Amino acid sequence: MRLMTLLCLTLIAFAANSVLGRAAVGNGLMDATGFGLLRLLSGAVMLLILCRARGLKIAQPRRMSLFGGASLTLYMVGFALAYKDLDAGLGALILFAVVQITMFAWGAFTNQRPGALQLMGAALALVGLAYVVWPRGGAAEVNLLAAALMAVSGLGWGIYSLLGRGVSVPLVSTALNFCWASVMILPVLLYVGGGTVITLQGAVLAVVSGAITSGLGYALWYSVLPQLPGPVAATVQLSVPVLAILGGALFLAEPVGLALVIGSALILGGIALVALAPKPKVVATS
């Protein structure tokens, strides 16, 4: 019960990031790359303060910090740049599809292959997500570069999630990942530009997103990951776009249609199949 509660809080935090990002960047209160940098910096500050308050030693193997920071940077940069030219719904589909593929592929590579029922559940959830977010009313023109950038972002988040399964102190690991990512993102911002559009309201939204729903949310995600089988961790994230759409409807007055209701039922059904399926046996290698 405790694990499910923490998992639900984590997924809500992920969805809240989308709502905060839409409110700030979508309304022109802050540019996307500047929002990403302030989000990382505020998350790093919050997490370091919490580590100090709890008397935790802020250290982990340098290799883990570098990989964690790099994958987090990859996610942040790809996400910010892709949404300059990509429909929000299609972007969510690409992002979470790549996350799921990355985590399932790694499970297969490490001989932790998902069972048939888990694969069916993942496919059902993916179909439901596609039904919810796919543009309607005619064919949509897809910017191939933006789609590739969002796929890179999904790869970054998938790697970041996989790395989280091996951390010993989630709060410290997340703090250091945010610190490294705050530095790693600077060359990208210098190259593509950013930080030119900022308002007080946009900055507040970025800080809330960074310090609370990103910093604390990602630390919570790292704490629950070791307790989740790989296929479950991959598939439950497909609920985030639906939660984000619901949050948008509640806080940003975005419309909710029949597609969301049907798609949500498919996604939740798929997640249930993955979560309740018998744990597949580890494949032995000779």
Side-chain angles (χ1 to χ4, degrees):
M1 183 63 181
R2 180 177 180 273
L3 176 61
M4 288 303 299
T5 300
L6 294 178
L7 180 58
C8 289
L9 289 174
T10 303
L11 296 175
I12 291 172
F14 290 172
N17 277 324
S18 295
V19 176
L20 291 168
R22 290 176 192 170
V25 180
N27 292 326
L29 301 175
M30 198 169 185
D31 61 77
T33 48
F35 184 88
L37 175 60
L38 186 54
R39 180 180 169 189
L40 283 171
L41 288 172
S42 56
V45 171
M46 169 65 83
L47 291 164
L48 289 174
I49 291 174
L50 289 177
C51 287
R52 289 297 187 186
R54 297 182 61 179
L56 298 175
K57 182 180 179 181
I58 305 176
Q60 73 172 341
R62 181 171 296 180
R63 181 173 178 175
M64 178 66 76
S65 293
L66 289 174
F67 279 113
S71 59
L72 184 58
T73 303
L74 197 63
Y75 160 73
M76 289 283 186
V77 171
F79 188 90
L81 296 179
Y83 270 132
K84 290 183 178 180
D85 301 295
L86 198 63
D87 178 82
L90 182 57
L93 172 61
I94 296 171
L95 174 67
F96 287 98
V98 173
V99 169
Q100 189 178 55
I101 291 170
T102 300
M103 299 186 72
F104 268 74
W106 181 254
F109 180 75
T110 56
N111 299 318
Q112 297 178 350
R113 298 172 187 172
L117 197 58
Q118 289 182 321
L119 288 173
M120 289 174 57
L124 180 61
L126 196 56
V127 168
L129 179 59
Y131 184 78
V132 170
V133 302
W134 197 264
R136 289 169 172 78
E141 291 187 7
V142 179
N143 184 300
L144 295 181
L145 176 59
L149 286 169
M150 187 58 80
V152 169
S153 178
L155 177 64
W157 183 253
I159 295 172
Y160 189 79
S161 295
L162 290 169
L163 290 172
R165 300 176 66 81
V167 303
S168 55
V169 187
L171 190 61
V172 170
S173 180
T174 309
L176 289 173
N177 291 341
F178 267 72
C179 290
W180 278 97
S182 298
V183 175
M184 291 178 176
I185 199 175
L186 291 178
V188 180
L189 294 181
L190 291 175
Y191 180 74
V192 303
T196 57
V197 178
I198 181 171
T199 66
L200 177 59
Q201 188 178 355
V204 170
L205 292 172
V207 170
V208 171
S209 176
I212 301 175
T213 56
S214 292
L216 299 183
Y218 293 3
L220 196 58
W221 179 236
Y222 261 25
S223 71
V224 301
L225 270 173
Q227 306 173 63
L228 297 174
V232 175
T235 305
V236 293
Q237 294 183 78
L238 291 176
S239 65
V240 174
V242 175
L243 292 173
I245 294 172
L246 290 173
L250 183 61
F251 297 105
L252 304 178
E254 296 179 349
V256 176
L258 180 61
L260 177 59
V261 177
I262 296 175
S264 298
L266 292 173
I267 291 172
L268 294 176
I271 291 174
L273 281 178
V274 174
L276 299 176
K279 186 176 180 180
K281 296 180 180 179
V282 175
V283 179
T285 57
S286 56

